[in-house]
């Protein structure tokens, strides 16, 4: 399985890079054995009590350096003053998670944060993700944003600059010729559409979160959606695959290719029911891009999707804070 050189030492490198030693909760202790560090796992229970997380926590507790406290869903409903006080906090958003309360807790009690909580606001907005990536000179597809709704999900009064023709759309004066991609600005919405030209049969491929054996379905509808805010970008051909990169800190990454959901929408699985993925050796440039993303989003762990556009160019199309590898053996290694 491909790894960076000196891969086993990535934890030391990552924590040094993220200044763990400089944090009061960690630097004031002479010996972690004499008094264990209290680590809080702050997430919805379907995440914090999942099999991969349980295996990770078992291994952490076996080191005898840490006391692990898992926040329950009931606990998260209470005032932050009733939440356990911890030295280090692993908190990540999923549906139902009180992100704003977690941010308030971190500001008031100042635990060491493994993943930056403020950045999780940005992660949930595709426009802000792309804006930050561009600011950090990370390659992204050419794109424009059509905003019909504000942050409170209220319809904006000003007229939107959008023109649609049979084989192209113009967003803010920028022309996107089919095939192009239409993504909801809200990153929690995974209904992504790809529109095809009439010469290729027209219609659209509609991507969604995997449901059993499907990740997308074809529709004969060729017109873009008329309600909601969307990000439009060039469709980039990938020879039927995309690449997912897992990073831990700034010096470790693991990459895999999978069948692209833009093909026939059928998920390929192995005999154990896991989605088939294949190890990928990243180029030096791609490793540097992965490091830039982890640095920009201030995370100890993240996952990123690349579109390998050519031998000389790739693009980031999405960034997430926390993920568990589909194979627990890799998650735990």
């Amino acid at each position: 399985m491909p790894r960076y050189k000196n891969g086993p030492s990535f934890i030391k490198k990552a924590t040094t890079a993220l200044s763990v030693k400089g944090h009061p909760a960690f630097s004031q202790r002479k010996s972690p054995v004499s008094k264990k560090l209290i680590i809080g796992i702050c997430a919805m229970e379907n995440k914090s009590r999942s099999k991969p997380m349980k295996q990770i926590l078992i291994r952490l507790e076996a080191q005898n350096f840490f006391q692990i406290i898992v926040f329950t869903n009931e606990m998260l409903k209470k005032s932050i003053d009733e939440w356990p006080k911890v030295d280090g906090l692993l908190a990540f958003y999923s549906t139902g998670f009180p992100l704003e309360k977690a941010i308030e807790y971190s500001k008031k009690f100042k635990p060491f944060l493994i993943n930056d909580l403020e950045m999780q606001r940005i992660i949930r907005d595709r426009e802000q993700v792309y804006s930050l990536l561009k600011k950090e000179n990370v390659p992204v597809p050419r794109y424009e944003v059509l905003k019909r709704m504000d942050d409170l999900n209220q319809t904006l009064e000003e007229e939107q600059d959008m023109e649609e023709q049979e084989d192209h759309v113009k967003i803010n004066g920028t022309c996107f010729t089919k095939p192009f991609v239409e993504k909801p600005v809200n990153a929690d919405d995974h209904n992504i559409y790809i529109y095809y030209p009439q010469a290729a049969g027209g219609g659209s491929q509609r991507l969604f979160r995997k449901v059993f054996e499907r990740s997308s379905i074809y529709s004969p509808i060729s017109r873009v959606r008329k309600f909601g805010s969307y990000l439009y970008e060039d469709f980039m051909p990938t020879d039927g695959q995309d690449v997912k990169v897992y990073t831990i800190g700034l010096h470790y990454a693991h990459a895999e290719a999978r069948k692209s959901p833009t093909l026939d929408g059928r998920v390929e699985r192995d005999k154990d029911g896991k989605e088939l993925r294949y190890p990928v050796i990243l180029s030096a440039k791609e490793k540097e891009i992965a490091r830039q993303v982890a640095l920009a989003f201030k995370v100890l762990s993240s996952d990123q999707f690349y579109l390998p556009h050519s031998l000389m160019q790739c693009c980031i199309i999405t960034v997430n804070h926390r993920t568990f590898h589909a194979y627990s053996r890799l998650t735990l290694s």
Side-chain angles (χ1 to χ4, degrees), residues 97-158:
F97 180 73
L99 180 59
E100 298 306 317
K101 286 176 70 174
I103 292 172
E104 184 184 356
Y105 173 88
S106 68
K107 289 180 177 179
K108 183 171 183 178
F109 299 107
K110 296 179 170 43
F112 171 75
L113 296 178
I114 296 175
N115 278 3
D116 188 282
L117 287 173
E118 298 278 358
M119 278 295 174
Q120 294 194 38
R121 286 180 178 147
I122 293 179
I123 290 283
R124 298 177 62 199
D125 186 307
R126 290 188 172 99
E127 180 183 10
Q128 292 189 56
V129 168
Y130 271 23
S131 179
L132 179 56
L133 290 172
K134 285 184 66 177
K135 181 180 177 182
E136 299 298 326
N137 296 315
V138 175
V140 297
R142 186 179 67 112
Y143 75 95
E144 285 288 342
V145 177
L146 181 67
K147 295 206 75 170
R148 297 190 182 99
M149 316 293 288
D150 61 20
D151 293 339
L152 298 177
N153 210 31
Q154 301 296 313
T155 302
L156 296 173
E157 294 183 1
E158 58 264 31

Side-chain angles (χ1 to χ4, degrees), residues 233-244:
E233 66 183 48
D234 290 327
F235 175 77
M236 305 181 72
T238 63
D239 295 328
Q241 66 177 19
D242 49 18
V243 178
K244 190 167 189 177

